[in-house]
Amino acid sequence: MNSLTMLSTARIYTPLNHSPQRQRFGGSQSKRNVVFPSPSFRTPKLICMAEPYLITKLESAEKTWKDLSVKLADPEVVSNPSEYQKLAQSMAELDEVVSTYRKFKDCEKQLEESRALAKENGNDEEMAEMIASEIKSLSNELIELEEKLKVLLLPSDPLDARNIMLEVRAGAGGDEAGIWAGDLVRMYQKYSEQNSWKCTLILSSEAEKGGFKTVVMEIKGNRVYSKLKYESGVHRVQRVPQTEAQGRVHTSTATVAIMPEADEVEVVIDPKDIELTTARSGGAGGQNVNKVETAIDLFHKPTGIRIFCTEERTQLQNKTRALQLLRAKLYEIKVREQQEKIRTQRLSQVGTGARAEKIRTYNYKDNRVTDHRLKMNFELTSFLDGNIDNAVQSCAAMEQKELLEELAESVGAPSG
């Protein structure tokens, strides 16, 4: 969506600009003869009538905007910089909604005038054609403005701008599940590269035959959560495993969890709820790795979450990483509970972070990825190379559609 220029607070008394007035046709025409246009230039019917729920929301937004403009002119508010800034910000957030709504009303008015003009000036075929073209143009503009207004009224996800912790766990399928988990990790690493995100391994547990039992990565960048939040769930693969000698197709799964980054003030961890033990990291590494107990084994008693962190070179660094991951996991639980409470009526799991449902099937034989939420297919080879943006955007569009339905239902209007 193209953003309109926000009005500065210095211009709060100036009415928001309407769309430019279109040239009116037939201003000097005589009104003595009323002849309707010939059938070939019959004016189209008005096809864009804003739904009642939309008008209700828009009128409320415009009233709020006007109330804020009055408050900003109050000397007491002007003398209080903090209060003034708060109100000015609230008003700025409504500027685009109000300016677009006023364009919508202006366009609607022009359309009605053009329709009336068509009835009064139908004796000239050329004029009738021009008016019909004007009506068609205005009708299309009205539809576009209404769709834009619907989107502008949608609540934004406050977590969209956050960085994330991405966890991939091998599920059903034995050794093949671990190999599949490794394939998913590489897919998300490639997608992160395409978006210029920084991807850092936090902890990993390798599987015996390759791949991973568990992997946690920290992904930082521009609006990471807004794109990867739709990846939470069970990813199923159907293929002939590397471990299969007879060429039979097996079905395996891996679970992906997307955890938005949490601040310490958002998730308070009571030290009494934590059991911390240390161990030697083991495996390949520097001289320090096998001699000093740098690994951290953290257990959170209320939830049963256990984190074993060995990736960093010092005990303090591993402890910090373990607590960071615990905080993210607890925050994900908190967010998921809130979403489930708010959207108990929604059957679709898009945007809910539900991890117990199968969201995709990756079929190697047919080179096909099926997203079960979208009921759409994608090419497997390209998908595993990190080209998942089409699926991400489709999930975002689906969520937007559901939010529009909820918006309609919130004011008692039919959602269809």
Side-chain angles (χ1 to χ4, degrees):
M1 155 193 344
N2 293 325
S3 298
L4 300 178
T5 304
M6 290 294 189
L7 300 177
S8 65
T9 53
R11 297 176 58 197
I12 59 175
Y13 305 110
T14 306
L16 292 168
N17 293 329
H18 290 183
S19 56
Q21 284 289 332
R22 297 175 183 266
Q23 181 182 357
R24 311 272 22 112
F25 300 114
S28 59
Q29 293 277 346
S30 169
K31 298 183 181 179
R32 288 175 296 176
N33 299 323
V34 179
V35 182
F36 292 98
S38 61
S40 58
F41 301 117
R42 198 159 285 151
T43 57
K45 291 184 179 181
L46 179 62
I47 58 174
C48 179
M49 294 297 290
E51 298 164 70
Y53 82 89
L54 186 63
I55 298 301
T56 299
K57 293 280 187 181
L58 290 168
E59 287 177 349
S60 175
E62 188 175 34
K63 182 179 182 301
T64 301
W65 187 92
K66 289 177 179 178
D67 291 343
L68 287 169
S69 68
V70 172
K71 289 180 180 179
L72 284 171
D74 188 331
E76 291 187 9
V77 174
V78 174
S79 63
N80 185 339
S82 176
E83 181 67 12
Y84 185 89
Q85 185 177 8
K86 181 181 176 182
L87 293 175
Q89 177 62 32
S90 297
M91 185 176 175
E93 290 172 357
L94 291 173
D95 279 345
E96 188 175 2
V97 175
V98 174
S99 63
T100 306
Y101 180 40
R102 290 183 175 179
K103 286 181 181 179
F104 175 87
K105 289 191 291 185
D106 184 63
C107 184
E108 199 170 42
K109 181 181 177 182
Q110 291 181 48
L111 184 56
E112 289 302 319
E113 290 173 355
S114 295
R115 289 172 65 84
L117 200 61
K119 294 180 180 180
E120 297 171 358
N121 298 275
N123 56 331
D124 186 335
E125 273 201 11
E126 185 177 353
M127 179 62 69
E129 183 179 5
M130 291 173 69
I131 296 174
S133 176
E134 173 80 353
I135 289 174
K136 181 179 179 181
S137 176
L138 286 166
S139 298
N140 290 336
E141 183 180 349
L142 204 61
I143 292 172
E144 292 174 4
L145 287 169
E146 181 174 355
E147 291 306 309
K148 182 175 182 179
L149 285 167
K150 287 179 180 178
V151 174
L152 285 173
L153 288 174
L154 293 179
S156 59
D157 189 336
L159 303 177
D160 277 352
R162 299 203 181 195
N163 300 321
I164 67 161
M165 294 283 189
L166 184 150
E167 178 187 69
V168 181
R169 283 182 175 272
D175 293 333
E176 167 65 6
I179 296 171
W180 172 233
D183 292 338
L184 287 176
V185 168
R186 283 185 287 276
M187 181 181 80
Y188 291 124
Q189 287 173 330
K190 291 177 180 178
Y191 185 60
S192 297
E193 289 175 7
Q194 292 176 15
N195 285 275
S196 300
W197 295 337
K198 182 181 179 182
C199 191
T200 306
L201 185 68
I202 300 300
L203 64 85
S204 65
S205 173
E206 295 184 1
E208 292 181 8
K209 301 290 185 179
F212 301 95
K213 295 178 182 177
T214 306
V215 172
V216 177
M217 298 184 293
E218 179 184 50
I219 304 179
K220 291 185 173 183
N222 183 35
R223 297 179 65 79
V224 178
Y225 184 76
S226 71
K227 291 190 174 184
L228 287 180
K229 63 183 177 181
Y230 306 108
E231 296 302 301
S232 290
V234 175
H235 296 244
R236 182 176 70 173
V237 64
Q238 294 176 329
R239 65 184 179 185
V240 179
Q242 299 173 13
T243 55
E244 170 58 46
Q246 299 181 18
R248 292 175 298 185
V249 173
H250 284 226
T251 298
S252 305
T253 63
T255 301
V256 175
I258 305 297
M259 298 166 281
E261 187 179 57
D263 297 330
E264 291 186 29
V265 294
E266 292 173 314
V267 178
V268 179
I269 301 173
D270 189 339
K272 296 178 182 177
D273 293 336
I274 294 175
E275 286 183 5
L276 268 177
T277 55
T278 60
R280 294 180 184 179
S281 292
Q287 296 178 3
N288 198 45
V289 117
N290 294 309
K291 297 179 181 179
V292 182
E293 294 189 340
T294 58
I296 288 292
D297 187 1
L298 182 151
F299 179 69
H300 187 244
K301 290 181 279 188
T303 60
I305 294 173
R306 180 179 291 278
I307 298 169
F308 189 71
C309 196
T310 65
E311 300 302 319
E312 304 295 342
R313 294 183 58 80
T314 70
Q315 188 182 111
L316 180 60
Q317 289 173 327
N318 278 320
K319 180 180 177 181
T320 301
R321 280 297 195 187
L323 287 170
Q324 182 186 17
L325 180 53
L326 175 62
R327 194 175 294 112
K329 284 177 172 286
L330 294 176
Y331 190 60
E332 184 219 13
I333 293 171
K334 179 181 176 182
V335 169
R336 194 165 70 244
E337 287 175 349
Q338 289 174 342
Q339 290 172 332
E340 288 171 357
K341 183 178 180 180
I342 293 172
R343 300 178 183 181
T344 52
Q345 301 305 315
R346 289 178 61 183
L347 298 178
S348 169
Q349 70 156 36
V350 173
T352 65
R355 295 168 55 188
E357 299 296 330
K358 173 186 65 183
I359 64 168
R360 289 200 196 110
T361 295
Y362 301 72
N363 187 301
Y364 272 66
K365 179 183 177 182
D366 299 328
N367 193 34
R368 181 186 68 228
V369 177
T370 301
D371 193 299
H372 302 289
R373 301 160 299 179
L374 301 170
K375 295 179 174 60
M376 292 175 63
N377 295 327
F378 304 90
E379 185 191 26
L380 174 70
T381 306
S382 176
F383 211 85
L384 292 178
D385 278 337
N387 299 309
I388 67 173
D389 212 49
N390 285 340
V392 169
Q393 295 302 328
S394 296
C395 285
M398 183 176 179
E399 183 180 42
Q400 187 178 92
K401 178 177 179 292
E402 292 176 345
L403 287 171
L404 285 170
E405 291 171 354
E406 290 179 3
L407 178 65
E409 290 169 359
S410 70
V411 289
S415 58

